[in-house]
Amino acid sequence: MSQPEQCVRPPGPRGHWLLGNTPAYDADRMGFLRRTHAAYGDVFSFDERTVFVTDPELTHDALARTNTSFLTELAPFAPRPDLTQAAAQADAWMSARRTVWAGLNHSAAAAADARTVELLDEHLRTAAERETDVVDLMRSFAAHTIAEYCFGPDSAGIPALLADNLAITEPFTGSSYQFPAWLPLPRHRRFFRVHRDTVETLTGIVRRRRASGGGGRDLLGFLLGADPAMPDRTVTATLRGILMGGHGIPAAAYASIVKELATRPQLAADLRDEAGHGVPAARLPLAEAVVKEVLRLQPPVWLMTRTASAATTLGGWSLAPGDEVLLNPYLIQRDPRWWARPDEFDPGRWLSGQAAPRAAYLPFGAGPRVCVGSALTMRQLTLATSRLAQAYTVESGNAATAAPRFHGRLAPAGMRARFRPAHR
């Protein structure tokens, strides 16, 4: 990493005289980032308020200082964000995280193993005789899985709400140009309507469950039994955050896993041997290694955003309040400085006993805002990988050419597949 010399802001491409770097970035996001990384190094300015970082130590520094010097991604339509309000919301979320953590750890997640397999089978049976869009299928599977984990018998209708929430964000992830919220655009009206409907629906479920005495063997029941008691508003906000994180991110990872199984028949056979018969066991070293390697090469969260909450520095560069720092796990996790054969898919690197470069592996982030559902997600991804190979043969005519889209969550766009029951 090169250190700045008497510089306040890192250098970067000037771009168009009026539009800046946005047109070039939106035309080919990863191509633009690779070119600028090669030209300017691990830290470069995108514009006067945005800095990109591809240095793992600086990335960890920003993540470690989240809640103090930096805030996580702010609400949409906030060109001049209220940093004080955002900091207060971050404090409230950290308190809720400490409570919810025990409901998302390995032992809590294990109770859902059998149901996770059942839901996967239910979804894949619909694609046994015809090709289907893999991303859409895995989004539905992930939505049902996390909805039931959070709300159990009260989860009806939640998967549809999650699909609506994903749909309203896609127009915003596809373009870096954002219009102010007061413009009466159809996508703005839909965004606010879906947000309102989601909060009202979740609040209603929480209040009805509490009125009936609480309880239940799901995450809602766990939160309603917390001591000290959590207000309904906090329970609702916590569950909404878990739902959103537990939907789009795992769905993208599932789709990338399907791509690997479709193009690597020997890997699928090895995973089938490991799984044996019946519901796959909890300890699945090869399946876990496959998941870790997929998350290295195709991290669903390929960019992470932090916003400076006050004047600060990062690696010697100055940042003003409200400046955005975009951290790039995709390039960090493919950097030959940190990884041998960085572009090669090799689950064996996780089975050798050699630790991965700590700072250069960030599938769930790091620091105080590391993904609260990482244990649950890893368990579900590992179990689903094993079950996919154990019980199905994945057939796809375009898996080898389905490229990822660097919009929203990273997944192979347009991939279609058929899931035929496997015969042992």
Side-chain angles (χ1 to χ4, degrees):
M1 179 188 66
S2 61
Q3 293 296 322
E5 298 180 2
Q6 304 298 321
C7 290
V8 175
R9 298 282 295 183
R14 296 182 62 180
H16 186 271
W17 68 273
L18 176 62
L19 302 176
N21 289 302
T22 298
Y25 175 70
D26 280 349
D28 178 8
R29 293 185 174 185
M30 192 48 61
F32 174 88
L33 293 176
R34 287 186 185 278
R35 292 191 303 272
T36 49
H37 180 233
Y40 296 97
D42 288 330
V43 184
F44 73 88
S45 291
F46 181 81
D47 56 34
E48 66 275 7
R49 301 304 301 269
T50 308
V51 172
F52 277 84
V53 175
T54 317
D55 177 87
E57 295 296 341
L58 292 185
T59 295
H60 266 266
D61 184 23
L63 295 175
R65 289 195 285 143
T66 300
N67 296 343
T68 55
S69 301
F70 296 95
L71 301 169
T72 57
E73 289 185 79
L74 302 177
F77 309 117
R80 292 184 177 274
D82 185 334
L83 298 179
T84 301
Q85 181 182 13
Q89 292 171 345
D91 289 343
W93 172 236
M94 289 304 296
S95 177
R97 278 171 62 96
R98 288 189 285 273
T99 300
V100 78
W101 198 283
L104 296 167
N105 62 20
H106 287 285
S107 58
D113 283 357
R115 184 55 180 156
T116 298
V117 171
E118 288 177 3
L119 286 169
L120 181 63
D121 288 342
E122 290 174 9
H123 279 78
L124 296 187
R125 276 196 292 269
T126 67
E129 300 302 327
R130 59 180 178 80
E131 281 195 344
T132 189
D133 185 282
V134 172
V135 171
D136 287 346
L137 182 67
M138 292 304 156
R139 284 176 174 175
S140 178
F141 165 56
H144 283 80
T145 302
I146 194 62
E148 288 202 12
Y149 191 90
C150 289
F151 290 99
D154 298 318
S155 62
I158 301 299
L161 272 179
L162 290 174
D164 288 343
N165 275 272
L166 199 60
I168 62 171
T169 61
E170 288 187 339
F172 299 96
T173 62
S175 173
S176 299
Y177 294 107
Q178 299 299 335
F179 296 97
W182 51 262
L183 279 180
L185 301 177
R187 68 179 186 180
H188 291 181
R189 291 196 296 268
R190 189 180 182 207
F191 181 94
F192 290 115
R193 184 181 70 251
V194 170
H195 176 79
R196 181 183 64 251
D197 291 348
T198 301
V199 173
E200 290 176 354
T201 298
L202 300 186
T203 300
I205 296 173
V206 170
R207 289 176 175 170
R208 288 192 295 273
R209 179 78 70 88
R210 194 187 292 276
S212 68
R217 300 179 64 181
D218 50 31
L219 193 58
L220 172 56
F222 174 83
L223 293 177
L224 291 179
D227 185 17
M230 299 174 67
D232 287 353
R233 182 174 181 178
T234 303
V235 174
T236 298
T238 302
L239 289 170
R240 181 174 177 272
I242 301 299
L243 284 170
M244 299 307 162
H247 179 217
I249 294 172
Y254 288 133
S256 294
I257 289 166
V258 169
K259 175 182 169 76
E260 298 301 333
L261 295 182
T263 55
R264 302 178 190 276
Q266 185 56 56
L267 175 63
D270 292 343
L271 285 165
R272 188 173 299 128
D273 290 342
E274 177 184 69
H277 299 276
V279 176
R283 185 74 182 118
L284 298 161
L286 178 57
E288 183 176 322
V290 168
V291 171
K292 288 180 176 179
E293 187 71 344
V294 165
L295 294 177
R296 182 184 73 84
L297 285 172
Q298 305 293 340
V301 184
W302 61 281
L303 275 182
M304 294 181 285
T305 303
R306 292 295 183 266
T307 301
S309 56
T312 188
T313 60
L314 185 64
W317 303 108
S318 296
L319 298 171
D323 282 2
E324 287 195 333
V325 179
L326 275 69
L327 314 168
N328 195 330
Y330 182 89
L331 289 183
I332 291 173
Q333 294 176 180
R334 288 172 174 259
D335 195 316
R337 292 175 293 178
W338 327 121
W339 299 91
R341 310 178 316 281
D343 294 319
E344 179 181 330
F345 180 84
D346 179 18
R349 74 176 79 234
W350 302 98
L351 298 171
S352 64
Q354 182 177 358
R358 184 192 69 85
Y361 188 62
L362 300 156
F364 299 107
R369 295 298 290 266
V370 66
C371 175
V372 70
S374 57
L376 172 65
T377 300
M378 273 301 300
R379 189 177 187 94
Q380 291 178 336
L381 289 173
T382 301
L383 188 62
T385 299
S386 184
R387 182 61 172 178
L388 272 163
Q390 177 197 48
Y392 303 92
T393 298
V394 183
E395 300 176 356
S396 173
N398 72 336
T401 58
R405 289 177 67 242
F406 292 93
H407 296 164
R409 304 310 181 196
L410 195 64
M415 180 181 169
R416 300 185 65 81
R418 179 183 291 110
F419 300 83
R420 294 194 184 278
H423 301 288
R424 297 184 65 88

